[in-house]
Amino acid sequence: MSTNAGSAQAWQERYAASLMNTFGAPKLVLARGEGSRVWDVEGNEYLDFLGGIAVNSLGHAHPALVEAVTAQLSTLGHTSNFFATAPQIELAEKLLALLGAQGSGKVFFSNSGTEANEAAFKLTRRTGRTHVVAMEQAFHGRTMGALALTAKEAYRTPFAPLPGEVTFVPFGDVDALRAAVTDKTAAVVLEPVQGEAGVNPAPAGFLEAAREITTASGALLWIDEIQTGVGRTGAWFAHASSGVVPDIVTLAKGLGGGIPIGATLALGAAADLLQPGNHGTTFGGNPVASAAALAVLATIETDGLLDHARTVGTQLRKGLLADDRVVETRGDGLLIGLDLCEDKSAEVVAAGFAAGFILNNPTPNRIRLAPPLVLTSDEAAALIDAWPGILDAAGVVAP
């Protein structure tokens, strides 16, 4: 039986001795959480402004999530996909309804975002075409297929050659996209907001242009909402405000509120491209994970968390931008990027830990915030109040 007893240093030494070094040494050893707060093994308290990288949409130990998982696990746990279960079917119907695709779409469930994209990648091959256009600075996952669509060379180079015939174009460049897409292109894949790159929203009109270009060429438009979906930006889907109807949408992260689940939604003719034997999963659509996702969606609706995310997100952006060492804020809702005046984001994250705040630095000069959607106004104010001191401690100097 595991225990949290012991010093952080002792746990970190055991971590280094027993786990593969894929993420470097962990900065904290966490023991428990409640709402937007977590505690480490030595009892230190932190406000969690990362939320497991946009995963913990209801925060930690939310009663609705605990109740749903406990009830489902007490009733029917894993079944494999030889059998259907009510939570799986109800979740698929709910997601299609939120997307406005009930009756014209279908869902494939998996365990993670990269698997959701892997399924979508395979689906595009069923068009008979093999060429895919992806975006520079994109992140779509770390399995081999999803990695082929991810632009970051540091992730790609150690595993080359990667599968697929992929062309990268500058994010937001309509002319470059138009030039890259041909009648041999199976799909264009893009994120409405590039989270891993530091929260880069697509320029106005880019999604609409991508839809027009893909429709003209017969290619599929595949929108990766893994980080942005399920209320993260204050809407169920970040692309919704564009009015664009994609062919494929992929989801994960916040969908299960901390319980692993991914989803590939296909609309129209794309919904029938995968046929029996083309793809599969052992755990995808597991009734416990599906019940968790249903509880997340229901709580977001009943507690008004879409409006709440927009309100608290605006409070955070306005409050943090008031310090002139932040030169720009990006994103919507509670997916926020902060551009610093110098490349000291790592120092800011370290100073944040020391002050009791969990932050993230996707690039040398950017801070990413993706807190739970239940983050309160008072908790947002706590970071705003502490922000100048954190920047001082990090040695960030005003321009």
Side-chain angles (χ1 to χ4, degrees):
M1 182 177 179
S2 66
T3 172
N4 289 317
S7 69
Q9 182 179 350
W11 279 109
Q12 285 164 332
E13 290 172 354
R14 290 172 64 179
Y15 179 99
S18 58
L19 280 90
M20 289 188 186
N21 185 22
T22 55
F23 276 92
K27 303 295 188 297
L28 301 173
V29 183
L30 299 178
R32 67 184 180 92
E34 181 178 341
S36 300
R37 298 173 185 273
V38 293
W39 288 262
D40 68 17
V41 291
E42 296 180 333
N44 300 307
E45 180 179 334
Y46 304 87
L47 264 173
D48 183 2
F49 280 84
L50 182 57
I53 312 181
V55 166
N56 297 317
S57 43
L58 302 186
H60 301 272
H62 192 285
L65 190 58
V66 173
E67 180 181 354
V69 169
T70 302
Q72 185 59 48
L73 193 57
S74 302
T75 305
L76 181 67
H78 180 68
T79 63
S80 86
N81 277 296
F82 288 129
F83 310 99
T85 67
Q88 177 192 53
I89 296 168
E90 291 169 358
L91 179 59
E93 291 173 343
K94 181 66 177 177
L95 291 174
L96 291 171
L98 291 175
L99 192 59
Q102 204 163 25
S104 62
K106 293 180 181 175
V107 181
F108 176 84
F109 287 118
S110 51
N111 311 295
S112 65
T114 196
E115 289 175 80
N117 279 334
E118 205 74 31
F121 200 178
K122 287 183 69 176
L123 185 153
T124 69
R125 290 294 180 92
R126 296 292 295 157
T127 63
R129 302 180 181 185
T130 57
H131 177 234
V132 176
V133 178
M135 303 296 130
E136 293 180 1
Q137 302 186 77
F139 180 82
H140 297 292
R142 295 175 188 264
T143 54
M144 291 296 277
L147 184 59
L149 306 168
T150 293
K152 194 170 184 177
E153 285 301 330
Y155 296 164
R156 296 168 54 87
T157 301
F159 303 99
L162 294 168
E165 180 189 347
V166 182
T167 299
F168 289 95
V169 299
F171 186 48
D173 189 331
V174 174
D175 291 338
L177 179 62
R178 195 181 303 280
V181 175
T182 72
D183 60 5
K184 294 181 174 56
T185 302
V188 170
V189 56
L190 58 85
E191 302 156 279
V193 181
Q194 294 183 323
E196 178 82 2
V199 189
N200 289 332
F206 186 60
L207 297 184
E208 293 89 332
R211 179 69 282 181
E212 178 264 316
I213 292 168
T214 50
T215 299
S217 66
L220 301 175
L221 178 59
W222 164 8
I223 296 185
D224 179 337
E225 291 260 13
I226 287 165
Q227 187 162 152
T228 53
V230 198
R232 171 55 51 191
T233 65
W236 287 115
F237 303 97
H239 75 270
S241 61
S242 71
V244 164
V245 178
D247 300 294
I248 305 170
V249 175
T250 46
L251 297 172
K253 289 196 180 290
L255 179 57
I259 304 299
I261 185 169
T264 305
L265 285 63
L267 285 66
D272 295 316
L273 285 172
L274 287 179
Q275 293 296 307
N278 287 160
H279 197 49
T281 174
T282 296
F283 296 104
N286 174 290
V288 178
S290 297
L294 284 167
V296 168
L297 298 176
T299 302
I300 290 174
E301 282 186 321
T302 57
D303 289 1
L305 294 181
L306 299 183
D307 289 341
H308 179 76
R310 290 194 293 272
T311 300
V312 178
T314 298
Q315 176 191 356
L316 271 173
R317 283 192 297 277
K318 183 177 179 181
L320 299 175
L321 187 60
D323 192 305
D324 61 5
R325 288 169 287 184
V326 177
V327 297
E328 185 178 0
T329 65
R330 303 163 181 267
D332 293 307
L334 286 172
L335 182 60
I336 299 172
L338 306 169
D339 282 11
L340 304 174
C341 63
E342 56 182 325
D343 290 353
K344 289 195 173 181
S345 64
E347 291 87 342
V348 170
V349 169
F353 285 162
F357 299 92
I358 294 178
L359 312 172
N360 174 248
N361 59 317
T363 73
N365 75 324
R366 287 184 185 170
I367 297 296
R368 175 175 52 176
L369 306 180
L373 303 183
V374 297
L375 184 82
T376 68
S377 177
D378 286 346
E379 290 167 338
L383 177 61
I384 293 168
D385 291 344
W387 187 239
I390 292 172
L391 296 185
D392 288 345
V396 181
V397 178

